[in-house]
């Protein structure tokens, strides 16, 4: 019997929410239909009233002669719209008669017929008649409109303030609850210990930690939806949650789905986002300077004009990501996957791109002065107008890359494959020429591929010293 009851309760829990949802949907549809019916009836009555006013005004104000709607129409005399005649003029006359020396006075009212023309109203007459009321009506309308507008603005401001306070309260509650789990309940420690346990059956601590993490994940996603639904999207509070999860190392533990999420103009400076899945996310104009993004998934992410100075992007997956105009100065992109990435106009001065895969990447007009591109793969890369001065391209593969108008002055080219498109001899000669040693050159370029092998040891020692100085400064910051 108890099994039947529990089964019934289970099914009831599944059915009742659906029934309530269906009833709410039906009620909403009925309300919409009733509203549409009222709007249609109001429209019909509006048309009837307008027609009645036009027809009534026609017969009330104008004479009906022949076709009632024939133009021009003659106004009735009493309206004063057109010319009219005043025919009856009354005059009182006193007459006196004398009888036996007595004068008898007699008053008579004499009516004479005289046609007196009353001219039609002039423009000035109409202005005198209508200007004052029209002015008063206009001022009244404008005053009422301004009052209504001020009321609407106040209501909207109050609504925005209430919504902002609600989001702030939700954020504070989230931080308080999460801090309690992390500090008092030692959630992170329990979850870490439970992962190292190899017992076949989960202990009670492991179950409690998993349940708590599930609650934290649900609350986090709910909070993100609340911030996303704000107009405009509440990026500052949302980014503070993400930075907090990264700093507490909960981001990867929760395994949050952040694909195609929005982080425009977010402040994620020094945030720990290592291993985060931000594929397709919008991080345009975001501040990610000094951020830890090692191993992060950023395929097809939008990072246009983002600040990634000195960021750690080693082993990051950036295939087909848009980094146009981004500042990657001093960033660590070693072993990163950047095939088909858009890096046009990006700043990569002093960046570390050792062993990075830049196959088919767009680096047109890129600023790569002093960049470390050792063992980098730049096959079929687009480097038109790129600044590669003082860059280290040792053992780099530039086969079929387009180096038209690229600046190679002072670049180190040891064992590099320079069988590229658009390379001319002038780019390898002159005062600011690159250093060549065991280089593969195009057939049309008549230069000794081992021209600078003897100079390179001294040059490399100076370069390594400069790299060491930059690393120390970066660490100090």
């Amino acid at each position: 019997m108890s099994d039947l009851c529990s089964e019934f309760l289970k099914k009831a829990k599944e059915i009742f929410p659906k029934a309530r949802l269906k009833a709410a949907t039906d009620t909403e549809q009925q309300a919409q239909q009733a509203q549409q019916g009222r709007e249609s009836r109001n429209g019909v009555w509006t048309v009837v009233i307008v027609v009645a006013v036009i027809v009534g005004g026609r017969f009330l104000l104008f004479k009906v002669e022949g076709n009632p709607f024939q133009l021009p129409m003659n106004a009735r005399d009493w309206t004063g719209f057109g010319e009219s005649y005043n025919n009856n003029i009354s005059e009182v006359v006193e007459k006196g008669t004398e009888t036996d020396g007595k004068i008898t006075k007699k008053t008579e009212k004499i009516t004479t017929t005289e046609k007196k023309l009353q001219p039609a109203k002039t423009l000035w007459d109409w202005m005198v008649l209508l200007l004052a009321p029209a002015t008063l009506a206009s001022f009244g309308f404008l005053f009422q409109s301004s009052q209504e507008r001020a009321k609407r603005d106040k209501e909207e401001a109050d609504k925005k303030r209430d919504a902002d306070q609600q989001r702030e309260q939700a954020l504070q509650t989230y931080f308080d609850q999460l801090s309690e789990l992390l500090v008092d309940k030692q959630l992170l420690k329990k979850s870490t210990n439970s992962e190292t346990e190899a017992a076949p059956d989960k202990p009670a601590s492991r179950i409690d930690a998993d349940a708590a993490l599930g609650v934290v994940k649900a609350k986090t996603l709910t909070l993100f939806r609340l911030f996303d639904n704000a107009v405009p999207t509440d990026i500052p509070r949302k980014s503070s949650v993400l930075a907090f999860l990264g700093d507490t190392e909960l981001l990867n533990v929760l395994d949050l789905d952040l694909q195609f999420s929005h982080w425009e103009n977010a402040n994620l400076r020094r945030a720990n986002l290592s291993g985060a899945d931000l594929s397709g996310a919008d991080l345009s104009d975001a501040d990610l300077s000094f951020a830890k993004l090692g191993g992060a998934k950023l395929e097809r992410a939008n990072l246009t004009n983002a600040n990634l100075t000195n960021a750690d992007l080693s082993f990051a997956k950036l295939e087909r990501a848009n980094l146009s105009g981004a500042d990657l100065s001093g960033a660590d992109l070693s072993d990163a996957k950047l095939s088909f990435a858009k890096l046009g106009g990006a700043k990569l001065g002093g960046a570390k791109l050792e062993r990075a895969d830049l196959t088919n990447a767009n680096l047109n007009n890129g600023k790569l002065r002093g960049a470390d591109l050792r063992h980098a793969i730049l096959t079929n890369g687009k480097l038109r107008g790129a600044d590669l001065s003082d860059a280290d391209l040792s053992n780099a593969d530039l086969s079929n890359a387009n180096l038209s108008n690229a600046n190679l002055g002072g670049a180190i080219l040891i064992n590099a494959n320079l069988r590229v498109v658009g390379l001319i001899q002038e780019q390898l000669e002159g005062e600011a020429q690159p250093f060549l040693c065991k280089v593969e050159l195009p057939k049309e370029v008549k230069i000794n591929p081992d021209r600078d092998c003897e100079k390179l040891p001294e040059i490399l020692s100076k370069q390594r010293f400069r790299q060491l100085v930059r690393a120390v400064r970066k660490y100090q910051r």
Side-chain angles (χ1 to χ4, degrees):
M1 187 68 179
S2 61
D3 294 339
L4 289 173
C5 289
S6 60
E7 187 67 23
F8 173 76
L9 289 172
K10 184 178 179 181
K11 290 185 178 179
K13 288 178 181 178
E14 294 177 356
I15 293 170
F16 287 164
K18 295 180 180 178
R20 286 197 297 270
L21 179 60
K22 186 176 186 302
T25 306
D26 293 341
T27 304
E28 186 179 353
Q29 290 177 352
Q30 291 173 2
Q32 289 179 353
Q33 291 174 357
Q35 179 67 20
Q36 291 174 356
R38 284 194 296 270
E39 290 177 355
S40 62
R41 286 195 296 273
N42 290 339
V44 171
W45 278 112
T46 303
V47 173
V48 170
I49 291 170
V50 170
V51 172
V53 169
I54 293 173
V55 174
R58 160 69 183 94
F59 286 98
L60 182 65
L61 300 176
F62 297 93
K63 298 176 182 178
V64 181
E65 297 175 358
N67 187 352
F69 295 101
Q70 184 177 0
L71 296 175
M73 298 180 184
N74 297 320
R76 296 184 183 274
D77 294 339
W78 62 268
T79 62
F81 288 141
E83 293 181 347
S84 63
Y85 292 91
N86 188 358
N87 296 326
N88 298 323
I89 301 173
S90 298
E91 182 180 359
V92 178
V93 179
E94 290 185 356
K95 292 183 179 182
T97 56
E98 186 176 350
T99 307
D100 298 331
K102 293 180 179 181
I103 298 174
T104 304
K105 291 184 178 181
K106 184 180 180 182
T107 303
E108 294 182 359
K109 184 177 181 181
I110 301 172
T111 302
T112 59
T113 301
E114 181 181 353
K115 287 188 175 182
K116 186 177 179 181
L117 179 64
Q118 180 180 333
K121 301 295 183 185
T122 63
L123 177 62
W124 180 252
D125 295 332
W126 286 112
M127 289 178 64
V128 171
L129 183 64
L130 299 176
L131 187 58
T135 303
L136 290 174
S138 300
F139 277 118
F141 175 76
L142 291 173
F143 178 75
Q144 185 179 2
S145 299
S146 64
Q147 292 294 317
E148 291 177 355
R149 192 183 307 111
K151 184 180 178 181
R152 286 196 302 271
D153 293 343
K154 185 178 182 301
E155 289 175 353
E156 183 142 354
D158 292 342
K159 191 184 294 184
K160 287 182 179 179
R161 186 180 64 253
D162 293 342
D164 186 74
Q165 291 176 353
Q166 180 186 1
R167 293 194 297 272
E168 181 63 25
Q169 184 61 39
L171 181 63
Q172 292 303 323
T173 304
Y174 173 82
F175 281 147
D176 292 342
Q177 293 176 349
L178 196 54
S179 299
E180 181 182 355
L181 288 170
L182 289 171
V183 179
D184 299 339
K185 306 298 183 183
Q186 295 184 343
L187 175 63
L188 189 60
K189 184 178 179 181
K190 288 181 180 179
S191 64
T192 306
N193 292 339
S194 63
E195 287 176 1
T196 59
E197 291 174 355
D201 297 328
K202 288 185 178 181
S205 61
R206 173 70 178 270
I207 295 172
D208 292 342
D210 290 346
L213 287 172
V215 172
V216 172
K217 182 176 181 179
K219 286 182 176 292
T220 304
L221 293 175
T222 302
L223 199 62
F224 280 167
R225 280 194 292 271
L226 176 64
F227 295 152
D228 284 335
N229 291 333
V231 180
T233 303
D234 199 341
I235 297 295
R237 291 191 177 99
K238 190 178 172 185
S239 57
S240 66
V241 173
L242 187 65
F244 178 78
L245 293 174
D247 292 340
T248 55
E249 299 180 0
L250 271 173
L251 187 60
N252 292 323
V253 176
L254 294 175
D255 192 23
L256 293 175
D257 183 8
L258 299 172
Q259 295 183 18
F260 301 99
S261 52
H262 290 270
W263 306 93
E264 303 94 315
N265 296 291
N267 183 6
L268 292 165
R269 179 181 171 85
R270 297 185 183 277
N272 185 1
L273 303 174
S274 301
D277 189 354
L278 289 157
S279 303
D282 190 351
L283 288 149
S284 55
D285 297 290
D287 184 2
L288 289 155
S289 55
F290 295 94
K292 296 178 182 178
L293 288 154
K297 297 177 183 178
L298 290 157
E299 296 99 329
R300 299 180 184 274
N302 182 7
L303 287 152
T304 54
N305 301 313
N307 183 4
L308 288 152
T309 54
N310 297 296
D312 181 9
L313 286 154
S314 56
F315 296 95
K317 296 179 180 178
L318 289 149
E319 290 96 334
R320 298 184 184 274
N322 189 352
L323 290 145
S324 302
D327 191 351
L328 290 145
S329 304
D332 186 358
L333 288 149
S334 55
D335 297 285
K337 305 296 183 185
L338 288 151
S339 56
F340 293 95
K342 296 178 182 177
L343 289 150
K347 298 176 183 177
L348 287 153
K352 189 176 181 181
L353 289 148
E354 190 175 1
R355 296 180 302 277
D357 185 0
L358 290 150
T359 305
N360 291 293
N362 184 351
L363 286 153
N364 289 334
N365 300 308
K367 298 172 179 62
L368 293 124
R369 182 183 179 88
D372 184 357
L373 287 153
R374 288 176 294 169
H375 299 277
I377 302 171
L378 290 152
T379 307
N380 298 316
K382 299 176 180 65
L383 291 149
R384 289 193 301 271
D387 184 5
L388 289 159
S389 57
D390 299 320
D392 191 346
L393 288 152
S394 301
N395 299 291
D397 186 1
L398 290 139
S399 55
N400 294 317
N402 191 334
L403 286 169
S404 301
N405 300 315
N407 182 7
L408 294 166
I412 298 173
L413 298 163
I414 303 173
N415 293 318
N417 183 354
L418 279 178
R419 291 179 179 173
V420 298
V421 177
L423 182 68
I424 57 175
Q425 191 156 328
E426 285 75 7
Q427 290 174 267
L428 303 174
E429 294 179 334
E431 294 182 2
Q433 61 185 13
F435 299 98
L436 308 178
C437 184
K438 300 180 181 179
V439 178
E440 296 182 34
L441 295 171
K443 293 180 180 179
E444 58 271 16
V445 176
K446 307 301 182 183
I447 293 178
N448 182 7
D450 300 322
R451 181 184 63 189
D452 304 302
C453 288
E454 295 180 359
K455 302 177 186 177
L456 281 172
E458 182 182 354
I459 294 166
L460 289 173
S461 63
K462 291 180 180 178
Q463 187 189 54
R464 299 292 180 266
F465 178 75
R466 287 196 297 268
Q467 289 175 352
L468 180 62
V469 170
R470 283 198 297 266
V472 170
R473 289 176 179 171
K474 181 179 178 180
Y475 177 76
Q476 289 175 343
R477 285 197 292 266

